[in-house]
Every structure is written in structure tokens, then in C-alpha cells.
């Protein structure tokens, strides 16, 4: 039996859902990406432990995904196994008077609504970010002056050998669009947010305000992966791109948004190659005209 077949059989016996050759375009907000050799939906910590250990024993690479809102997947897809958490990992609850605990597969919208339900403030900035809790912590997502590091008190995780860990404070190594999980190989399983008592109506108004700002400025009606580039020191990527006259510039089905130059949108049928070529064109033009180097915020994965 081939290694992937062996992993698939073990995963299915543990209650996972398995699909071979699953198009990753179905699992990214860019709607771009070739097939994953094996795509597993894992519903419990016990099943995750089995999958990680089995994949490690069989030397099969594993890539975790959340909502796919910050991913650009190659046109040839992903070799090995892609794991999506669901089931028990979608639970969110209040864990103390000022804390909520969310599984890694909870959407940020779900986390925000849980906080609002219990009159807890601090997560409003995340309302409208189309990611999962796990993905947001992985990259220390943020917007409008807020970041995950301001509200995350602890993160439970699972290492490739199946052991459980919990990271707090400096162990999380939060920096701009960075966390310890980018290096330590652990899978985020659930996150505890430390928030402040607030008023549900005020929290709701704040969430609505953040969403309206996004709706006004961002191309929310088009497939994209959000802001393509990290914020260069002393500048805003979108402003530099617009300054260089690149709004609307396209390669194949990928185009710089007319609404917000920091976004690349899929106008229909875009390939990963189209997006990468457009990114390179933007970087070259901005570097030549302004002297500023733009670094990608979105993650390119696969082949």
C-alpha cells in the first residue's frame, strides 16, 4: 500500500473525511489553486493526533489550512496531505468572566459574536476579517490598529509527534504578521482571548463601524486574499501602488483592484501564475519609482 493510501485509510478509520485530488480553489478566498493529493477534514483532537503521527511515520508532509483567506496555492496543487479542522474545533465558549475560548476552526466572525454575546470588548477590530481563529493567530492578523497579540492570552497546540502544548506571553513570539507557529511546527487547536467587560450595544456599533469602513474601501465583492503586501515602514503599500499608476493593471484574470490598490482580485479564471506575475510587476515598478521594496503578506504554497 502506498503511503498516502495508508494515511487515508487510517484517517477515515478515525472518523476523518478524505478526498483525493481535491481542488484547492474551493478552499481559498482567491479561488485559485490546483489539487491536493489528499485532503482531510479532521473533526476531533484524537483524530488530529492520529493523522499527525501517522503522516510523520510515513514521511508525508502535512499542511494545515483555515479559511484559506491568506493563501495563494500553486496551479499544480499541493503534494502530500492538506488538513482542515472542523467538528470539535468549531466550538466557542466563555471560559471565565473576561475570557472566551475558541477552537482553531472558529471563524473570526464567530469569535467576535461570542465576545459580543457575553458583553466582552476587544475583538471588534477583527469583525469582517475573513479568516479562522487559528489562521489569524498563526499570522498575528490585525486591522485598524488591532492585532491578535493584543487579545490572545494563551494558545493550545499539538506537535507533529502528537503531544499537546500551551504557549503564553513571550512564548507566542508575536510580531507584525508573525507568530511562533511559523517556526515551531505545531498545529493550533484552540485559543483563549482575554477581553474587557463592555456593553453589547456599543460592541455591536463598533463592529458595524469597522465593517462599513471595510465595505467602503475594500473590494469585498471580488475573490482576493486581502492585503497582498506587508506595510512597509513609513508607508502604506496601497498608496505606493496607486502612486505608481498601477490601479486596474492586470495579468490574465488577476488585477490590481480599482477600489483598493493593496488588493489583487480574481476577475475570473485567474491562475496562480497570473497572480505571481502581477505581484512581481507591482514590486518591480514600486521599487524603481519609489525605492521601496514590498514584501508579500499572503503565503504562496504548493507547486
Amino acid at each position: 500500500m502506498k503511503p498516502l493510501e495508508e494515511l487515508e485509510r487510517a484517517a477515515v478509520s478515525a472518523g476523518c473525511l478524505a478526498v483525493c485530488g481535491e481542488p484547492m480553489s474551493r478552499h481559498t478566498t482567491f479561488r485559485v489553486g490546483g489539487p491536493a493529493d489528499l485532503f482531510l477534514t479532521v473533526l476531533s483532537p484524537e483524530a488530529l493526533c492520529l493523522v499527525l503521527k501517522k503522516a510523520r511515520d510515513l514521511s508525508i508532509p502535512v499542511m494545515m489550512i483555515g479559511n484559506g483567506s491568506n493563501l495563494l496555492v500553486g496551479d499544480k496543487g499541493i503534494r502530500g496531505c492538506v488538513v482542515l479542522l472542523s467538528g470539535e474545533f468549531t466550538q466557542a465558549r466563555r471560559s471565565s468572566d473576561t475570557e472566551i475560548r475558541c477552537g482553531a476552526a472558529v471563524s473570526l466572525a464567530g469569535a467576535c459574536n461570542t465576545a459580543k454575546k457575553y458583553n466582552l470588548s476587544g475583538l471588534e477590530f477583527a469583525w469582517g476579517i475573513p479568516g479562522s481563529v487559528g489562521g489569524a493567530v498563526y499570522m498575528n492578523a490585525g486591522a485598524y490598529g488591532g492585532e491578535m497579540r493584543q487579545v490572545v492570552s494563551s494558545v493550545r497546540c499539538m506537535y507533529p509527534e502528537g503531544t499537546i502544548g500551551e504557549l503564553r506571553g513571550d512564548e507566542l513570539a508575536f510580531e507584525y504578521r508573525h507568530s511562533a507557529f511559523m517556526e515551531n511546527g505545531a498545529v493550533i487547536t484552540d485559543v483563549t482571548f482575554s477581553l474587557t467587560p463592555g456593553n453589547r450595544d456599543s460592541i455591536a456599533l463598533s463592529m458595524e463601524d469597522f465593517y462599513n469602513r471595510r465595505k467602503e474601501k475594500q473590494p469585498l465583492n471580488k475573490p482576493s486574499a486581502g492585503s497582498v503586501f506587508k506595510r512597509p515602514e513609513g508607508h502604506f503599500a496601497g498608496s505606493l501602488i496607486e502612486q505608481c499608476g498601477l490601479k486596474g493593471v492586470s495579468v490574465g484574470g488577476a488585477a490590481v483592484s480599482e477600489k483598493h490598490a493593496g488588493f489583487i482580485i480574481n476577475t475570473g479564471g485567474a491562475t496562480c501564475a497570473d497572480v505571481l506575475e502581477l505581484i512581481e510587476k507591482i514590486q518591480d515598478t514600486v521599487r524603481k519609482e519609489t525605492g521601496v521594496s514590498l514584501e508579500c503578506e499572503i503565503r504562496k504554497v504548493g507547486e
Side-chain angles (χ1 to χ4, degrees), residues 75-125:
D75 295 318
K76 293 181 180 179
I78 297 175
R79 306 290 69 82
C81 177
V82 174
V83 171
L84 173 69
L85 300 180
S86 189
E88 293 181 33
F89 298 101
T90 62
Q91 298 174 0
R93 61 183 177 85
R94 183 167 65 175
S95 53
S96 77
D97 287 347
T98 57
E99 292 182 326
I100 61 170
R101 175 170 286 184
C102 299
V106 173
S107 68
L108 283 177
C112 289
N113 277 327
T114 300
K116 180 179 69 172
K117 176 182 176 181
Y118 294 112
N119 294 296
L120 294 175
S121 178
L123 262 177
E124 292 90 331
F125 72 88

Side-chain angles (χ1 to χ4, degrees), residues 101-170:
R101 175 170 286 184
C102 299
V106 173
S107 68
L108 283 177
C112 289
N113 277 327
T114 300
K116 180 179 69 172
K117 176 182 176 181
Y118 294 112
N119 294 296
L120 294 175
S121 178
L123 262 177
E124 292 90 331
F125 72 88
W127 183 249
I129 298 178
S132 65
V133 164
V137 170
Y138 179 87
M139 67 169 291
N140 185 27
Y144 299 110
E147 287 183 314
M148 286 294 112
R149 64 174 155 188
Q150 298 168 356
V151 289
V152 171
S153 60
S154 66
V155 179
R156 293 188 70 192
C157 60
M158 187 177 293
Y159 292 94
E161 63 273 18
T163 58
I164 303 293
E166 184 169 26
L167 276 63
R168 297 173 173 272
D170 292 343

Side-chain angles (χ1 to χ4, degrees), residues 30-78:
F30 233 139
R31 299 291 177 257
V32 165
D37 288 343
L38 178 63
F39 189 95
L40 298 177
T41 303
V42 177
L43 307 177
S44 70
E46 295 78 15
L48 177 62
C49 179
L50 181 145
V51 166
L52 292 180
K53 289 170 72 173
K54 192 72 173 176
R56 188 185 188 203
D57 291 344
L58 294 169
S59 300
I60 295 172
V62 173
M63 194 190 94
M64 305 297 302
I65 66 163
N67 283 9
S69 58
N70 195 49
L71 291 181
L72 178 60
V73 179
D75 295 318
K76 293 181 180 179
I78 297 175

Side-chain angles (χ1 to χ4, degrees), residues 190-212:
D190 58 86
V191 176
T192 298
F193 294 100
S194 182
L195 305 170
T196 56
N199 174 273
R200 187 176 305 170
D201 291 338
S202 297
I203 292 168
L205 284 172
S206 181
M207 287 163 60
E208 183 179 5
D209 176 55
F210 282 123
Y211 178 75
N212 287 336

Side-chain angles (χ1 to χ4, degrees), residues 19 24 167 196 215 217 295:
V19 181
M24 290 302 297
L167 276 63
T196 56
K215 188 176 180 181
K217 297 178 181 178
E295 181 183 353

